[in-house]
Amino acid sequence: MSIFNYKQRNNIVLVSIIVLGCFLLYALSELFSSILGAIVLFTIFRPFYLWMVDKKNLNGTFAALIIIFISLIVIVIPFLSLSIMVIGKIGSINKDALPIDKWTAKIDAFTGSNLNQPHFAEDTLQKLGAYGADLFPSLLGSAASIIITLLVMYFLMYFMFTQMGAFESGLLKYAPFREQHALKFAQALRDSTYSNVLGQGIIAITQGVLLAMGFYAFQIPDAVFWGVIGVFLSFLPVVGAPTMCIPASIIFFANGQNLKGVLLLAYGLLFIGNVDNVLRVIINKRVGNTHPIISVIGVFIGLPLFGILGLVFGPVLLSYFLLLLEIYETNRLAADRLERIRTGPDT
């Protein structure tokens, strides 16, 4: 006969679940990028999967394989290729024809005489170099880790799609809130994922293309490379691709090409910057509104955890956290109302 009663046994089981759950989370911490990536891709491609299966009567396994192929071609391979290109370019930048030393000297002379900052360009380049080294190191140094991360991500996503009914039923069953709140959370999660991933991705690519076109028009070397840098910077709301035009304009001013400097500065800050604002308004209306503060804080949260992927995963994680807080607040208010009904009005 057990020395524990029913309630004590349940409490012991609950504590054991929590302890083992924490241990499993710690053990799976290296695969967190895979898990989060699978959730993001599942959320993005779920409507397309349902369209293929329900409307086109495709086999679920075949539809999942199509989605894996599309995501590889459209998202993963281009992202990795652009990142590798950036790393290679940064590594060989001193060997190219870019007159970096000349530009740095001119910018330092200009800022020294006008802004009392004689080492502005030199210090900025050093900081950017250190920042870039922290941001991109794993893409070339840990090829095996990247392959494992992608394999696990697609393995999880494959079963999320092929066993969608059981997967979503399990989420509803074990969700710590009512079904209507769970459905509301799922809708908000979809909107926040679309806004952070698809919306910000469209803005970043648009700004990068416009920046590359502008640099090419002003005959700045390696316009495509700087456009790719602009794509990554566009995920940083405080910085953004338009700020790339500021150092380029300073170089024009230092060379005595004042008209080019003014035109490039206006093109970047006025045209590219306003394109960002217009696209953001359209995306927020059609997809979901993500506050700029969430994007800024999310980026600073995500970069130390995921590297370059933190530009996307950080804001997504923060949005999910805020959604959970909203659901918790809703549940707490509902519980308070039920308690007042049960106990009756205070006398």
Side-chain angles (χ1 to χ4, degrees):
M1 182 176 178
S2 176
I3 63 173
F4 301 108
N5 60 35
Y6 179 77
K7 184 176 181 180
Q8 289 172 333
R9 287 197 298 269
N10 275 348
N11 290 335
I12 292 173
V13 170
L14 179 60
V15 170
S16 301
I17 290 173
I18 294 174
V19 171
L20 288 175
C22 292
F23 175 77
L24 290 174
L25 285 176
Y26 174 77
L28 293 174
S29 59
E30 294 296 325
L31 297 177
F32 192 67
S33 295
S34 301
I35 297 171
L36 187 57
I39 293 173
V40 169
L41 290 180
F42 175 81
T43 304
I44 292 174
F45 285 104
R46 183 179 182 276
F48 182 53
Y49 177 84
L50 292 176
W51 177 80
M52 287 191 293
V53 173
D54 296 338
K55 300 294 183 181
K56 297 301 180 180
N57 296 319
L58 290 180
N59 179 269
T61 300
F62 184 60
L65 293 176
I66 290 176
I67 289 175
I68 291 174
F69 177 77
I70 291 175
S71 66
L72 273 172
I73 299 299
V74 176
I75 300 175
V76 176
I77 292 178
F79 186 84
L80 290 177
S81 300
L82 292 177
S83 301
I84 291 172
M85 186 192 84
V86 170
I87 297 173
K89 190 65 179 180
I90 292 175
S92 62
I93 197 166
N94 292 327
K95 303 175 184 179
D96 293 337
L98 288 176
I100 297 296
D101 294 336
K102 180 181 177 182
W103 289 354
T104 303
K106 289 187 176 182
I107 292 174
D108 283 340
F110 178 82
T111 55
S113 59
N114 293 277
L115 303 175
N116 197 26
Q117 295 286 335
H119 302 290
F120 174 79
E122 183 181 352
D123 294 341
T124 302
L125 283 177
Q126 289 178 354
K127 292 178 181 178
L128 288 176
Y131 185 71
D134 292 337
L135 198 60
F136 294 99
S138 61
L139 289 175
L140 290 181
S142 304
S145 176
I146 294 174
I147 293 174
I148 292 174
T149 298
L150 290 176
L151 287 175
V152 173
M153 181 184 74
Y154 281 119
F155 177 81
L156 294 174
M157 191 178 75
Y158 172 81
F159 285 103
M160 285 180 181
F161 280 121
T162 56
Q163 300 180 12
M164 180 184 293
F167 172 66
E168 294 182 343
S169 298
L171 291 179
L172 287 175
K173 178 180 180 181
Y174 293 104
F177 29 75
R178 293 183 175 182
E179 183 174 346
Q180 63 266 31
H181 294 155
L183 295 175
K184 177 184 176 182
F185 174 76
Q187 180 65 29
L189 185 146
R190 184 194 73 87
D191 292 343
S192 115
T193 302
Y194 276 36
S195 178
N196 282 293
V197 179
L198 293 182
Q200 190 57 46
I202 292 171
I203 292 173
I205 292 173
T206 302
Q207 285 194 325
V209 171
L210 291 175
L211 183 70
M213 292 172 60
F215 276 24
Y216 179 80
F218 283 92
Q219 298 179 338
I220 296 176
D222 291 310
V224 175
F225 166 73
W226 297 116
V228 173
I229 295 293
V231 170
F232 289 118
L233 288 180
S234 293
F235 283 94
L236 304 172
V238 177
V239 183
T243 57
M244 292 288 295
C245 295
I246 296 176
S249 299
I250 293 176
I251 293 172
F252 281 137
F253 288 133
N255 286 330
Q257 299 173 293
N258 295 334
L259 179 59
K260 277 190 172 183
V262 171
L263 291 177
L264 181 59
L265 200 61
Y267 175 78
L269 299 182
L270 298 180
F271 180 68
I272 299 180
N274 283 319
V275 166
D276 175 14
N277 295 331
V278 171
L279 286 176
R280 201 174 295 278
V281 170
I282 295 173
I283 290 169
N284 287 345
K285 286 183 178 179
R286 291 180 175 270
V287 179
N289 187 10
T290 298
H291 198 281
I293 292 179
I294 295 177
S295 299
V296 174
I297 298 177
V299 165
F300 285 106
I301 292 172
L303 287 177
L305 294 174
F306 307 107
I308 190 66
L309 294 177
L311 295 173
V312 175
F313 285 168
V316 168
L317 267 181
L318 185 57
S319 296
Y320 291 174
F321 174 73
L322 294 177
L323 287 174
L324 285 173
L325 287 181
E326 181 182 345
I327 295 295
Y328 170 78
E329 180 67 16
T330 303
N331 283 346
R332 189 181 64 81
L333 292 175
D336 290 344
R337 286 196 298 270
L338 289 175
E339 182 65 20
R340 286 196 299 269
I341 293 173
R342 187 180 65 83
T343 59
D346 294 335
T347 56

